[in-house]
Amino acid sequence: MWKTILRRVVIMIPQIVILSLLVFILAKFMPGDPFTGSITPQTDASQLHALKVQAGLYDPWYTQYVHWVVNMFHGDFGTSYQFKEPVMAVIGGRAVNTLWLSLFTVILTYLIAIPLGLLAGRYEDTNLDRGIMFFNYVTYAIPLFVFLVLGLWLFGYVLGWFPSGGSISLSANGFFGNALSRLYHMILPGVLTALLSTTSTVQYLRSEIVDQKHQDMVATARAKGVPERKVFSRHILRNSLLPIAAFMGYSITGLLGGSVFVEQIFVYPGMGQLFLNSISNRDFSVITALVMIYGILALFGTLLSDIIMSIVDPRIRIK
Amino acid sequence: MSLVEIKDLKVHYPIRSGFFNRIHDYVYAVDGVNFEIEPGQTYGLIGETGSGKTTIGRSIIGLEKITSGQILFNGKDVSTKRERKAVHYNRDVQMIFQDSLSSLNPKKRIYDIIAEPLRNFEKLSDTEEKHRVRELLDTVGLGDDDLFKYPFEFSGGQRQRIGVARAISTNPKLVIADEPVSALDLSVQAQVLNYMQEIQKQFNISYLFISHDLGVVRHMCDSMAIMHRGRFVELGTRDDIYNHPQHIYTKRLLAAIPDINVDQREVHRKHRKEVEKVFDTEQSRYYDKNGRVLPLQQISETHSVALPEDQVKGE
Amino acid sequence: MTNSKETQAVKTPSTMKVIWQEFRHDRVAMFSLVFTIVLILGIFIYAASLNLEKVTNVNIFAQYDKPGQDGFLLGADEGGRDGLKMLVIGARNSIMIGFAVTVISSLFGIIYGMISGFYGGWLDNGMMRIYDFINILPEIMIIIVLVTIVPKYNSWTFIIIMSCFMWLSTARLIRSKALAESKRDYVSASRTSGTSDFKILFREVLPNLSSIIIVDTTLSFAGNIGIETGLSFLGFGLPDSTPSLGTLISYAQDPDVIGSKPWVWLPAAVIILVLTLSISYIGQALRRAGDAQQRRG
């Protein structure tokens, strides 16, 4: 098993290199440079040129690339033109917000998806199953942003149950007050996103359980007279639930992609919103850093899932 | 000159493992096999599952890449794809597959299935082609009505006859039949085999008959080879193999044929147990220390057996 | 000859026929199909009768007219433009972009997947590595970055950029099916019949994937409409000159509009829901038809 994990990690190295190259190339195509923001009518052209030479902007691309990568390893992504602050400092606070919202969403997703999948599988072909499958079809078909806008409108404006944006209310104070206010702001975006993220887990669990139900060992247990409930919890549940853990990592990619929509619609100050904000303000050092961070997070997410999968399911170890 | 000559044929599959996916070992699917096929004869290739018999068939027809050795067709080397293409090899060597359903494209009509080799190898006009396909269907006992049906509309036996018709459409000299009837009911088996024999008489085709069914091979083949672990253990005529088996593996195979005679059941079982005991005790003498079958020794003009050398002398 | 032609007409187990049978037995699917066709046709016909310039002309006196006011059936938006006409034009654009992306990306995905699955070996290995890599990229963000840095940005560049990322799931699905298909004996039989690999791939294997391709393309179509409108919603989809359903919903980002002027954006949201739900339902009915056919074969 260690071999599999090690190999999987080794495979990731070229992926990171290519990712960084890709992001670097994208960054090169973005207009402007680190000094664009500080140009004023008084700026001396020759002085600016000297600064650019000093910053290595006229070096061959590979030198620039190596320089960029080395800086990145030191956590130096340059300076944000919009905020006049180091990029990492700008991203830092936002990252925490995104992390909390994502974590909250993942937990909710599983809290909703696992019972639904189990029920649908256990009561296969009943009206309950059909209802859950219909729910699944709806969550599969609806685009996330439409669902979010509709949800915000209904619960945030028409009914007024939840705040319509932000991550914390200004009047909140004290540790618990802050925490509660944060949670309150996360409920609507979290629940709505989670509802739409359940599709694959519900589908997977249901078909896995239906499969297991028809397997010989389950039939044998049943024939031996093991009560149905015990058959279900002993034999079926354990085999079906383990791989679900592995989905956790894969879902990171999906969540990050969705965070752009969620945070934009709910005016939630996270990385996704920062990304869109930076795009409209042409703050390219922040954009580059965010794409890189999202890419690496996705890479680690799949790595995590693959490793969990290889522990849970020995079949894929031999590859 | 023989039609086909196989010289020291080897097909090895690499086993990859470890950190860098290096090749650590090989599966010796076929490991040094020699034989010849004469025109108009039927050869049987017998062995258990995994003995390499199907691999031999697939490498002769060109579906499997050979590791080393040579396949000569009319004296010409046809071991590589390019060489086969140059002499229109598959026009002369064709194949009948075991699973008739999977070997016929479900989305194609019978007409197009049978006409496929014709379109690739012969330049026929539309009318000639139509005529030829009808003729072929007639040869295997199917009518004009069936021309535009799809494979799933036929029974297993009919489908296998369609497979036969496709295989003989370009008047090949050799047809490799890989377990052609083992998926069929007994009554249908005979029917398909009879069609094959009739066609052989009519067109002077050689068959390489691959099977694990000793009864079928006995019915069809003039000479045959017994395979075990990728090598031949015994090679000879029908009489040599069935009446004078020399190798313990052959004896064991023959003993395993069920006897229909109920009165003899006890005798038969006793015989089988004896053979099994001999096989267990003598096994080490008939295989080398790696479990590999020994080289073949010729013991008569038609009969070769993989015997230990001392036993040949003692015979 | 006439006789056999008749049998051919009666007994052909064509994909189309099986699908038709399935739809006849599934009333909801039938309804979705008819409804989608009527809706799309209606949108296209109505949109064709409209003059884009006239519709998008700003009329400040009609700003945020309520539905029914001044003869605007669905009210008017910030620029005083007729909500219904904007809706129809936006819907047409979204459907067309979704369609174009689906055609391009599915075509590419099918070819990629078929080659990868059919040939196998190192080629498959390499192609799957490329697939793996693109798959982990944060696609929404990269699309947005590309949209902002591409020079001479227009609908076509947008279609191409989207297609670059939307072929993946098709390729993966088709690869696994082509892999299974290429192991079947009819492929070997075609080889020994002297047919070239290229011909085997597209003339023998492809027809056997047709029902899967139809299902996948339908579902992709619904998905691509969702992604296009989503990007347009964020402001990185269709150029401003080409309103999309997403553009119309993006008005909801104004807190005043979302709360008190729902007629500006709600109809567009409803149209997207209706479109994606009914097209997906058609896709699922098609999938059931495909399964039934497999059982029969």
Side-chain angles (χ1 to χ4, degrees):
Chain A
M1 193 190 70
W2 283 112
K3 246 186 198 165
T4 320
I5 294 174
L6 198 62
R7 230 177 74 193
R8 187 56 190 72
V9 173
V10 171
I11 289 174
M12 217 174 85
I13 293 170
Q15 286 185 328
I16 290 184
V17 173
I18 299 175
L19 174 72
S20 66
L21 265 173
L22 189 81
V23 173
F24 179 74
I25 292 167
L26 281 180
K28 282 287 123 187
F29 275 107
M30 294 173 192
D33 55 55
F35 302 101
T36 317
S38 45
I39 297 176
T40 58
Q42 286 81 41
T43 313
D44 179 23
S46 62
Q47 209 178 343
L48 186 67
H49 182 81
L51 275 171
K52 282 186 181 180
V53 170
Q54 202 186 356
L57 286 180
Y58 296 105
D59 290 349
W61 70 269
Y62 46 87
T63 323
Q64 289 191 42
Y65 171 68
V66 171
H67 198 69
W68 180 71
V69 170
V70 169
N71 280 343
M72 210 159 56
F73 265 105
H74 293 109
D76 176 11
F77 282 94
T79 311
S80 158
Y81 140 70
Q82 188 188 353
F83 299 97
K84 311 273 186 280
E85 258 186 276
V87 170
M88 273 328 267
V90 174
I91 293 177
R94 311 289 195 117
V96 176
N97 283 341
T98 299
L99 182 80
W100 279 119
L101 184 56
S102 302
L103 197 67
F104 184 63
T105 310
V106 170
I107 293 171
L108 278 177
T109 306
Y110 286 109
L111 280 181
I112 301 167
I114 291 176
L116 286 184
L118 293 180
L119 285 173
R122 166 123 198 219
Y123 301 105
E124 180 196 359
D125 257 342
T126 61
N127 279 331
L128 179 67
D129 176 33
R130 265 169 235 133
I132 293 173
M133 283 341 291
F134 181 77
F135 166 80
N136 221 32
Y137 141 73
V138 171
T139 57
Y140 169 81
I142 295 185
L144 176 66
F145 82 100
V146 178
F147 191 62
L148 292 175
V149 170
L150 286 172
L152 173 64
W153 173 62
L154 188 61
F155 297 106
Y157 286 90
V158 177
L159 299 172
W161 292 352
F162 296 100
S164 59
S167 65
I168 188 164
S169 82
L170 289 171
S171 56
N173 51 34
F175 178 76
F176 284 107
N178 277 329
L180 270 178
S181 175
R182 274 183 186 282
L183 191 66
Y184 185 47
H185 280 81
M186 286 199 300
I187 288 177
L188 191 55
V191 169
L192 293 175
T193 316
L195 277 174
L196 280 209
S197 318
T198 53
T199 319
S200 57
T201 311
V202 173
Q203 185 68 49
Y204 173 84
L205 257 184
R206 180 185 178 273
S207 52
E208 189 74 0
I209 284 170
V210 170
D211 257 19
Q212 298 266 347
K213 275 209 305 211
H214 300 298
Q215 256 169 30
D216 290 348
M217 96 188 165
V218 173
T220 314
R222 223 174 254 144
K224 279 193 307 195
V226 181
E228 188 66 28
R229 269 191 56 189
K230 234 178 178 177
V231 171
F232 198 72
S233 59
R234 281 273 170 80
H235 294 275
I236 298 181
L237 261 192
R238 202 174 39 195
N239 287 328
S240 310
L241 272 181
L242 279 175
I244 293 288
F247 288 174
M248 205 93 74
Y250 296 130
S251 63
I252 290 181
T253 323
L255 271 182
L256 290 177
S259 75
V260 177
F261 291 103
V262 185
E263 293 176 5
Q264 177 72 6
I265 291 165
F266 287 89
V267 206
Y268 187 87
M271 289 200 288
Q273 202 223 17
L274 175 67
F275 174 76
L276 290 178
N277 184 8
S278 308
I279 288 263
S280 2
N281 290 309
R282 315 265 141 181
D283 195 351
F284 291 112
S285 42
V286 177
I287 297 167
T288 316
L290 281 174
V291 175
M292 194 67 207
I293 290 172
Y294 271 56
I296 287 179
L297 282 176
L299 266 173
F300 275 99
T302 42
L303 173 76
L304 185 74
S305 282
D306 285 355
I307 290 176
I308 298 176
M309 207 59 166
S310 77
I311 296 169
V312 172
D313 185 351
R315 273 170 306 179
I316 58 144
R317 251 182 248 164
I318 320 143
K319 197 183 171 185
Chain B
M1 190 173 57
S2 356
L3 181 65
V4 174
E5 212 181 328
I6 313 292
K7 285 184 178 169
D8 198 26
L9 178 72
K10 287 182 184 169
V11 182
H12 298 170
Y13 300 113
I15 304 171
R16 289 169 189 278
S17 62
F19 191 72
F20 291 107
N21 238 352
R22 286 233 190 88
I23 298 167
H24 278 235
D25 200 357
Y26 290 93
V27 174
Y28 300 94
V30 178
D31 194 22
V33 158
N34 295 284
F35 67 102
E36 290 173 21
I37 291 173
E38 302 289 342
Q41 300 283 314
T42 304
Y43 296 83
L45 203 50
I46 306 152
E48 60 195 44
T49 310
S51 62
K53 56 188 196 303
T54 296
T55 311
I56 293 188
R58 290 176 68 92
S59 19
I60 295 177
I61 193 131
L63 286 171
E64 206 76 54
K65 235 181 131 183
I66 64 174
T67 309
S68 73
Q70 255 190 328
I71 299 167
L72 301 180
F73 179 72
N74 281 330
K76 268 188 230 124
D77 195 334
V78 286
S79 309
T80 68
K81 200 174 175 180
R82 190 146 31 101
E83 290 159 344
R84 284 193 294 271
K85 230 175 186 161
V87 295
H88 282 303
Y89 176 68
N90 282 127
R91 184 181 177 168
D92 293 322
V93 180
Q94 271 293 330
M95 186 150 180
I96 301 169
F97 295 86
Q98 174 177 6
D99 179 356
S100 62
L101 188 59
S102 142
S103 74
L104 305 178
N105 191 336
K107 293 275 174 178
K108 276 170 79 179
R109 297 175 303 183
I110 300 311
Y111 179 85
D112 295 311
I113 290 175
I114 295 180
E116 191 182 349
L118 293 172
R119 287 173 189 160
N120 285 322
F121 292 121
E122 326 234 332
K123 300 274 170 282
L124 296 181
S125 71
D126 274 5
T127 29
E128 280 172 331
E129 184 183 284
K130 214 162 271 171
H131 183 74
R132 176 82 182 124
V133 173
R134 282 177 168 186
E135 194 179 78
L136 285 161
L137 270 185
D138 188 50
T139 317
V140 295
L142 291 165
D144 277 1
D145 300 350
D146 302 321
L147 223 48
F148 294 101
K149 286 185 186 169
Y150 287 83
F152 79 93
E153 295 173 67
F154 294 90
S155 71
Q158 286 174 320
R159 276 197 298 261
Q160 200 53 296
R161 274 145 58 193
I162 294 166
V164 172
R166 168 174 60 190
I168 59 166
S169 65
T170 53
N171 286 322
K173 309 215 167 54
L174 168 66
V175 169
I176 295 165
D178 184 5
E179 309 250 18
V181 295
S182 47
L184 303 176
D185 290 342
L186 272 178
S187 55
V188 186
Q189 283 193 1
Q191 190 197 28
V192 172
L193 292 177
N194 289 340
Y195 272 111
M196 286 180 69
Q197 277 181 326
E198 226 159 88
I199 288 164
Q200 179 170 41
K201 272 184 227 148
Q202 218 176 326
F203 301 103
N204 195 35
I205 297 175
S206 302
Y207 285 131
L208 176 62
F209 208 94
I210 299 167
S211 183
H212 63 267
D213 187 335
L214 289 150
V216 169
V217 172
R218 187 176 202 166
H219 175 71
M220 289 293 287
C221 306
D222 318 309
S223 24
M224 57 206 63
I226 312 282
M227 268 196 97
H228 193 213
R229 298 181 187 163
R231 286 166 69 83
F232 284 171
V233 294
E234 195 154 357
L235 190 75
T237 62
R238 183 172 9 200
D239 180 58
D240 289 337
I241 302 285
Y242 283 90
N243 300 327
H244 309 285
Q246 298 296 322
H247 197 278
I248 49 165
Y249 182 73
T250 316
K251 288 179 187 163
R252 185 168 164 236
L253 269 186
L254 291 173
I257 303 178
D259 197 344
I260 340 165
N261 196 341
V262 186
D263 305 337
Q264 302 276 316
R265 198 157 55 186
E266 267 316 303
V267 185
H268 189 71
R269 186 194 305 184
K270 227 170 124 193
H271 173 63
R272 202 169 61 226
K273 286 216 164 124
E274 259 166 47
V275 173
E276 195 61 43
K277 218 172 106 192
V278 174
F279 184 81
D280 284 339
T281 50
E282 302 251 306
Q283 199 176 4
S284 59
R285 295 210 312 124
Y286 282 84
Y287 296 87
D288 71 10
K289 55 182 180 297
N290 298 323
R292 199 165 179 251
V293 175
L294 298 170
L296 286 177
Q297 315 284 344
Q298 191 146 20
I299 61 169
S300 79
E301 205 174 310
T302 55
H303 199 173
S304 307
V305 188
L307 290 177
E309 267 172 60
D310 52 327
Q311 194 164 334
V312 182
K313 279 168 205 150
E315 200 76 9
Chain C
M1 207 61 238
T2 42
N3 183 28
S4 42
K5 266 204 180 129
E6 269 170 27
T7 9
Q8 175 195 354
V10 176
K11 299 224 168 158
T12 306
S14 80
T15 314
M16 279 335 238
K17 206 157 213 168
V18 179
I19 289 170
W20 182 241
Q21 293 266 322
E22 174 72 27
F23 272 84
R24 270 192 15 205
H25 288 124
D26 186 341
R27 272 214 222 106
V28 185
M30 196 64 182
F31 174 77
S32 305
L33 184 68
V34 174
F35 177 77
T36 311
I37 292 173
V38 169
L39 182 66
I40 292 181
L41 274 182
I43 287 169
F44 272 72
I45 292 169
Y46 190 20
S49 74
L50 295 174
N51 180 332
L52 181 67
E53 232 166 276
K54 253 192 190 157
V55 174
T56 50
N57 246 351
V58 174
N59 171 13
I60 202 69
F61 298 109
Q63 188 181 32
Y64 293 134
D65 268 4
K66 286 204 166 108
Q69 206 179 328
D70 291 342
F72 295 133
L73 210 54
L74 290 178
D77 63 10
E78 188 189 11
R81 290 166 291 223
D82 184 338
L84 179 65
K85 289 177 179 163
M86 285 296 279
L87 183 69
V88 168
I89 286 178
R92 183 203 53 191
N93 290 339
S94 289
I95 292 169
M96 272 182 11
I97 300 291
F99 187 76
V101 171
T102 307
V103 169
I104 295 174
S105 61
S106 292
L107 209 63
F108 186 77
I110 290 166
I111 294 173
Y112 194 93
M114 279 186 55
I115 291 177
S116 184
F118 183 76
Y119 286 99
W122 59 267
L123 184 70
D124 179 37
N125 236 317
M127 286 174 90
M128 282 333 275
R129 281 280 119 70
I130 296 174
Y131 165 88
D132 280 343
F133 178 72
I134 301 180
N135 197 30
I136 49 117
L137 288 178
E139 53 180 37
I140 295 284
M141 302 182 103
I142 296 205
I143 291 177
I144 290 175
V145 171
L146 286 173
V147 165
T148 38
I149 63 178
V150 155
K152 279 197 239 141
Y153 179 69
N154 59 36
S155 306
W156 277 108
T157 38
F158 177 56
I159 290 170
I160 301 292
I161 291 172
M162 249 186 88
S163 303
C164 285
F165 294 89
M166 296 305 143
W167 57 273
L168 291 163
S169 61
T170 306
R172 188 191 163 100
L173 175 76
I174 297 296
R175 173 187 172 269
S176 69
K177 299 291 173 190
L179 193 72
E181 215 51 47
S182 67
K183 297 219 168 83
R184 298 185 52 148
D185 280 340
Y186 74 80
V187 171
S188 298
S190 273
R191 281 215 173 101
T192 61
S193 299
T195 308
S196 68
D197 276 356
F198 185 78
K199 254 190 173 168
I200 294 177
L201 194 51
F202 289 100
R203 295 257 289 268
E204 306 279 325
V205 176
L206 186 61
N208 282 293
L209 302 178
S210 58
S211 55
I212 288 155
I213 289 175
I214 293 173
V215 173
D216 180 66
T217 312
T218 312
L219 293 176
S220 305
F221 181 42
N224 287 335
I225 290 180
I227 293 172
E228 178 275 316
T229 48
L231 286 163
S232 297
F233 169 80
L234 293 177
F236 303 97
L238 286 178
D240 296 338
S241 57
T242 327
S244 135
L245 289 175
T247 323
L248 300 183
I249 301 180
S250 73
Y251 297 138
Q253 291 186 33
D254 180 336
D256 178 45
V257 172
I258 188 177
S260 52
K261 300 179 179 69
W263 65 85
V264 176
W265 60 272
L266 194 56
V270 171
I271 290 282
I272 292 184
L273 282 190
V274 166
L275 268 180
T276 50
L277 281 171
S278 55
I279 296 174
S280 296
Y281 198 88
I282 295 170
Q284 298 205 336
L286 286 172
R287 177 179 289 157
R288 282 195 292 274
D291 283 350
Q293 193 183 19
Q294 272 162 13
R295 255 181 262 136
R296 199 194 256 186

